[in-house]
Amino acid sequence: MKLDSKIVHIGVCTDEKTGAISTPVYQSATFRHPALGESTGFDYTRSQNPTRKVLEEGIAALENGAVGLAFASGMAAITAILMLYKTGDHLVVVEDCYGGTYRVIDKIFSNFGLTVSFVDGSNIEEVAQSITPATKAILVETPTNPLMKIVDIRAIVKLAKGNEMHVIVDNTFLTPYFQRPLELGADVVIHSGSKYLAGHNDLVCGLVVARDAELGASIRYIQNSTGGILGPNDSWLLIRSMKTLALRMEKHNQNSQIIAQWLTRHPKVVKVYYPGLADHQGKDIHDSQSSGYGGMLSFAVDHPERVKQVLRKVQMIRFAESLGGVESLITLPAVQTHADVPIEVRERLGISDCLLRLSIGIEDASDIINDLEQALAD
Ligand SMILES: *Cc1c(COP(=O)(O)O)cnc(C)c1O
């Protein structure tokens, strides 16, 4: 089956008895043992639940990995992955990672003796130089948030090969529909399912896929031991939402290309960051590892006052955090999503007071443009 068909058929007719097209919600905390020492494969929902299992196998199939796991949020998924490491281990992480990832590493895992180097993932020399004998993993996002920097996944995999290091890719922005890091040699993929996979700004969830069964079993052990699982209802909602992933991603992609190009011509816009633009840094690498550009773009305006004006004047586009939903949203990364990144790092990265981030929805592109036009006007 082609990917778009696979997406649609996650969880179809899993219940042999009734032939239900949609996977049932198994809202049960516990399961009867057939006999002493026997199990149906389900004993207690923290360990495994039939609805969650359908979702987990579904995302594993889409990412082409051995084991999928569903968590209560993207941060619960990232936390479970970080628990693979121990005191004295060192991680290399892209410096412009999701703000919550930065925070959990910098403020929580540092308490347990995990050390980290935050690096410019688009500079492969810098990544190579930051590796120490204690380095156990390289964690990247591509495109990064909010500046859409491109990280060469194959080059990162090459660096890690033979060094007993995991390559972990947060694939939230592109989803397996546009990018499948495990096929490029990465070991683990992470998703905030709250974004494109759920796609409707109504669900918080996280997913992990491991390329091989052994690593998958280690993460499964952590998932069961620490308990940050996704409940059956939310698992069902995510399966339900993912059915339209291909259609949504195509429309996000189409709209974003149109709007990115329109913004580059706008007199009040100083710079546009979108990997679909011909002059976007790293576009060649992006094109070699992904089949689309997604729905996220950032742009810098002429003045911090303009930022305030835009956030005040947008109408259909809502001023709200998060991304990846059918509704267009706009945020100010310096204040909202990246507040936990130290100011000097933010400034060096270019996450300035003039930078706005758009999550382009699936509305008609002309309505998004009209809203931006009136919001940017003097
Ligand atoms: C939102 C997000 C996360 C965190 O996910 P939650 O579901 O909000 O916990 C992690 N990584 C990226 C790239 C994100 O956008």
Side-chain angles (χ1 to χ4, degrees):
M1 254 193 271
K2 293 273 203 292
L3 188 67
D4 45 2
S5 312
K6 268 202 228 170
I7 292 170
V8 171
H9 283 271
I10 292 174
V12 172
C13 287
T14 53
D15 182 26
E16 295 284 338
K17 271 206 191 98
T18 65
I21 296 296
S22 166
T23 268
V25 183
Y26 289 89
Q27 190 67 52
S28 185
T30 188
F31 303 85
R32 180 174 54 88
H33 303 300
L36 185 63
E38 284 179 27
S39 167
T40 57
F42 303 98
D43 304 308
Y44 184 59
T45 276
R46 170 159 43 69
S47 309
Q48 192 50 293
N49 171 281
T51 314
R52 193 176 91 225
K53 186 165 190 266
V54 165
L55 170 64
E56 292 183 335
E57 289 174 354
I59 190 66
L62 301 188
E63 289 284 8
N64 224 341
V67 178
L69 302 110
F71 291 88
S73 69
M75 287 320 304
I78 291 168
T79 297
I81 294 304
L82 293 172
M83 285 175 185
L84 286 166
Y85 309 104
K86 57 183 194 303
T87 303
D89 286 352
H90 174 255
L91 307 181
V92 175
V93 180
V94 286
E95 59 190 352
D96 45 353
C97 60
Y98 176 71
T101 304
Y102 192 97
R103 179 175 56 202
V104 78
I105 293 171
D106 187 48
K107 296 286 198 294
I108 310 288
F109 279 91
S110 61
N111 294 336
F112 299 95
L114 211 58
T115 60
V116 59
S117 301
F118 289 103
V119 299
D120 176 355
S122 66
N123 181 345
I124 203 75
E125 306 277 278
E126 195 184 324
V127 179
Q129 278 160 16
S130 66
I131 292 173
T132 75
T135 306
K136 290 294 188 308
I138 307 177
L139 167 56
V140 303
E141 296 175 21
T142 182
T144 64
N145 178 11
L147 292 172
M148 313 301 289
K149 278 194 187 170
I150 305 304
V151 178
D152 186 338
I153 298 173
R154 288 188 188 88
I156 299 283
V157 166
K158 220 174 189 181
L159 277 182
K161 270 255 154 73
N163 283 316
E164 307 240 334
M165 243 178 259
H166 297 140
V167 173
I168 305 162
V169 179
D170 183 330
N171 203 28
T172 299
F173 271 30
L174 290 181
T175 81
Y177 185 68
F178 282 140
Q179 179 170 278
R180 288 175 302 283
L182 302 184
E183 292 176 2
L184 305 171
D187 301 288
V188 179
V189 162
I190 300 171
H191 284 281
S192 168
S194 325
K195 314 300 167 53
Y196 289 102
L197 294 176
H200 295 73
N201 289 319
D202 57 5
L203 194 56
V204 173
C205 51
L207 295 168
V208 165
V209 183
R211 190 155 53 95
D212 73 67
E214 198 186 335
L215 182 56
S218 304
I219 306 167
R220 174 81 65 205
Y221 190 82
I222 294 170
Q223 184 196 39
N224 184 40
S225 302
T226 59
I229 49 143
L230 192 65
N233 256 297
D234 282 354
S235 294
W236 183 87
L237 275 169
L238 183 53
I239 295 167
R240 158 75 143 79
S241 304
M242 279 166 59
K243 303 275 175 178
T244 54
L245 181 68
L247 288 173
R248 287 187 284 108
M249 292 312 287
E250 288 294 346
K251 180 74 171 173
H252 286 298
N253 196 58
Q254 256 174 33
N255 275 357
S256 303
Q257 190 69 33
I258 295 166
I259 288 145
Q261 269 158 4
W262 178 82
L263 282 168
T264 58
R265 295 189 298 268
H266 197 285
K268 304 286 170 20
V269 174
V270 179
K271 174 119 182 98
V272 183
Y273 302 88
Y274 184 65
L277 293 174
D279 65 349
H280 189 80
Q281 213 177 356
K283 183 173 189 296
D284 289 352
I285 294 167
H286 182 91
D287 288 344
S288 76
Q289 63 192 14
S290 320
S291 56
Y293 305 106
M296 295 304 298
L297 66 85
S298 295
F299 64 104
V301 291
D302 54 349
H303 198 275
E305 285 306 312
R306 182 87 53 202
V307 164
K308 289 188 191 153
Q309 173 198 317
V310 169
L311 295 177
R312 194 177 60 244
K313 287 178 73 179
V314 282
Q315 291 173 356
M316 184 187 78
I317 303 169
R318 307 305 162 128
F319 172 28
E321 281 180 47
S322 200
L323 59 105
V326 290
E327 303 94 352
S328 291
L329 302 179
I330 192 164
T331 54
L332 177 57
V335 175
Q336 292 192 291
T337 53
H338 288 66
D340 285 296
V341 179
I343 177 116
E344 59 286 0
V345 178
R346 273 205 317 260
E347 275 169 5
R348 183 163 48 76
L349 296 176
I351 307 176
S352 76
D353 292 346
C354 290
L355 189 77
L356 287 161
R357 190 191 73 187
L358 271 172
S359 171
I360 303 288
I362 64 166
E363 303 95 339
D364 194 289
S366 66
D367 285 322
I368 302 171
I369 286 176
N370 290 342
D371 200 12
L372 288 171
E373 174 96 83
Q374 65 81 25
L376 281 161
D378 279 324

